[in-house]
Amino acid sequence: MPKVLFLSRYARLGSSSRLRLYQYLPYLQEAGIDVTLAPLFGDDYVRSLYGGKIDKLSVLKAYVDRLGFMLRAARFDAVWVEKEMLPWVPAWLELGLFPAHAPLIVDYDDAAFHRYDQHRLSLVRTLLGRKIDSVMLRADIVIAGNEYLANRARNAGAARVEILPTVVDMARYGVAASGAGGQALPTIGWIGSPATAQFLHLIAPALREVAASNLARVVAVGANADQLGDLPVTALPWTEATEVTVIQSFDIGIMPLPDAPFERGKCGYKLIQYMACGKPVVASPVGVNSMIVRDGVDGFLATTHQEWVSALTRLIADRLLRQQMGREGRHRIENEFSLQKAAPRLVRLIESVLE
């Protein structure tokens, strides 16, 4: 049985690690892969991160533990890494501590390289600006969540680049009747984390205009109430156990994004979640959003204030259109963004490194 070491950034509570690794575990184990999980940061760290209080000693311990796994990596048949092994450590040191001949798979679901090459400090840009490129170059396979990330890997000289989008488990994501939340008004919903809740302010005027009409309510799942300021938005808590049920209570899903380098590397997961539940979407045409949303078919792409207001008011007023777009979106996700389709492919990619 081949042994693979999985060096994820987080444990299951971290969304990127949960989606890019943990939901695949049953498929990997069924394929006969002996999985060793070694997240850099545990769930307590994620809770502290979103709460704004990080224990520096726990971070130091995490790095020491990670270093131990890196030094033992040669005992495994392959190593899967989420983004990088030691964040904020130069590539020459990180890769120097990693066995030279250990087969390496690296996975990216966001533009982690822009945290360095777009950093405000020139020292960081100088020391780390090409770090991720060096990791990509060292990898036997780079698995990228979209074309933007894949293109960076190709430009870095990666030996092999494969695109595997972020996906949802269709066994979890069912379609509920419109208005499943029991609300008198249609619900415009957003789901995410405190790290991305700020993007709701990009469409603040549109949300205010729609809310002022008293024709819909707006909710934000996973945002802290104090982040929303005077937005006409109700903050709701996020848990993995309830996220699907909450999305099913939406009538429309939204994903505003700024057109900036880091955001161009996002994988559009919110849209995939909404569409998997049969909900029409309205999104900024940034990065992969423009590929996921077929404008006028399963949702609308909106840039200007008027485009956002027009798209939202049209969907609010037309229940049949919401249902039609929702069906189209659900079908798209089943065929192109489902765990059931992606899992066998990830297994094959890992097995190809083991050969």
Side-chain angles (χ1 to χ4, degrees):
M1 179 179 290
K3 298 186 295 181
V4 180
L5 174 63
F6 288 86
L7 299 178
S8 62
R9 177 67 61 91
Y10 306 109
R12 191 174 183 90
L13 191 58
S15 61
S16 60
S17 302
R18 182 173 66 253
L19 301 174
R20 302 297 293 186
L21 170 60
Y22 284 84
Q23 68 172 340
Y24 287 96
L25 291 180
Y27 294 88
L28 298 175
Q29 292 163 343
E30 184 179 349
I33 296 174
D34 184 355
V35 173
T36 297
L37 299 174
L40 177 61
F41 299 117
D43 288 342
D44 287 343
Y45 173 87
V46 176
R47 295 187 188 96
S48 299
L49 181 65
Y50 289 152
K53 297 180 180 179
I54 298 176
D55 180 1
K56 294 180 180 179
L57 287 178
S58 68
V59 172
L60 177 61
K61 182 180 183 302
Y63 271 66
V64 171
D65 291 344
R66 170 57 61 89
L67 179 59
F69 277 104
M70 290 171 61
L71 295 175
R72 298 195 298 275
R75 302 178 187 178
F76 296 85
D77 297 297
V79 180
W80 180 100
V81 172
E82 182 183 353
K83 300 181 178 69
E84 56 191 323
M85 289 172 269
L86 296 171
W88 301 99
V89 171
W92 64 266
L93 180 55
E94 175 174 314
L95 296 176
L97 292 168
F98 187 74
H101 301 293
L104 178 63
I105 304 164
V106 291
D107 183 277
Y108 297 94
D109 72 334
D110 66 30
F113 39 84
H114 285 325
R115 297 193 187 279
Y116 300 137
D117 65 17
Q118 298 287 319
H119 199 279
R120 61 184 181 83
L121 297 179
S122 61
L123 180 61
V124 172
R125 297 195 300 272
T126 299
L127 293 178
L128 300 171
R130 305 297 294 180
K131 178 197 174 170
I132 298 299
D133 302 80
S134 297
V135 175
M136 291 173 165
L137 181 62
R138 164 63 178 83
D140 293 86
I141 298 182
V142 174
I143 301 177
N146 57 56
E147 182 60 35
Y148 185 85
L149 306 175
N151 189 56
R152 177 71 175 230
R154 296 186 196 106
N155 290 338
R160 181 180 173 192
V161 182
E162 301 285 348
I163 296 178
L164 190 71
T166 298
V167 298
V168 294
D169 182 354
M170 299 306 287
R172 291 184 62 225
Y173 283 77
V175 177
S178 181
Q183 301 295 329
L185 297 176
T187 298
I188 299 169
W190 175 94
I191 191 167
S193 72
T196 53
Q198 60 182 313
F199 298 145
L200 287 168
H201 291 276
L202 296 172
I203 57 168
L207 294 178
R208 292 192 183 99
E209 184 170 336
V210 170
S213 69
N214 292 318
L215 296 178
R217 64 190 289 263
V218 186
V219 301
V221 181
N224 294 329
D226 59 1
Q227 293 180 292
L228 302 177
D230 62 351
L231 290 178
V233 179
T234 301
L236 299 177
W238 175 90
T239 69
E240 183 181 1
T242 61
E243 64 176 348
V244 174
T245 301
V246 174
I247 293 173
Q248 289 172 336
S249 73
F250 296 174
D251 293 279
I252 304 163
I254 59 174
M255 186 176 178
L257 275 183
D259 188 7
F262 186 81
E263 283 66 37
R264 291 172 200 147
K266 285 184 171 293
C267 287
Y269 183 61
K270 294 176 181 58
L271 298 177
I272 295 166
Q273 288 182 288
Y274 304 148
M275 294 163 71
C277 289
K279 307 302 176 183
V281 298
V282 184
S284 302
V286 175
V288 78
N289 287 10
S290 298
M291 185 275 289
I292 295 175
V293 181
R294 296 169 295 179
D295 192 37
V297 176
D298 39 35
F300 295 107
L301 295 169
T303 300
T304 67
H305 166 75
Q306 190 53 49
E307 287 172 348
W308 274 95
V309 172
S310 176
L312 291 173
T313 54
R314 183 177 175 187
L315 287 169
I316 290 168
D318 195 336
R319 181 173 180 175
L320 291 179
L321 179 61
R322 296 200 303 265
Q323 293 174 342
Q324 177 186 335
M325 286 187 160
R327 286 192 295 270
E328 291 284 350
R330 167 79 181 187
H331 183 68
R332 178 89 186 281
I333 301 308
E334 286 177 332
N335 288 325
E336 299 182 39
F337 297 92
S338 73
L339 178 64
Q340 287 70 21
K341 293 289 181 69
R345 184 154 178 258
L346 178 61
V347 169
R348 290 195 297 271
L349 290 175
I350 293 175
E351 288 176 340
S352 71
V353 175
L354 298 172
E355 292 173 354

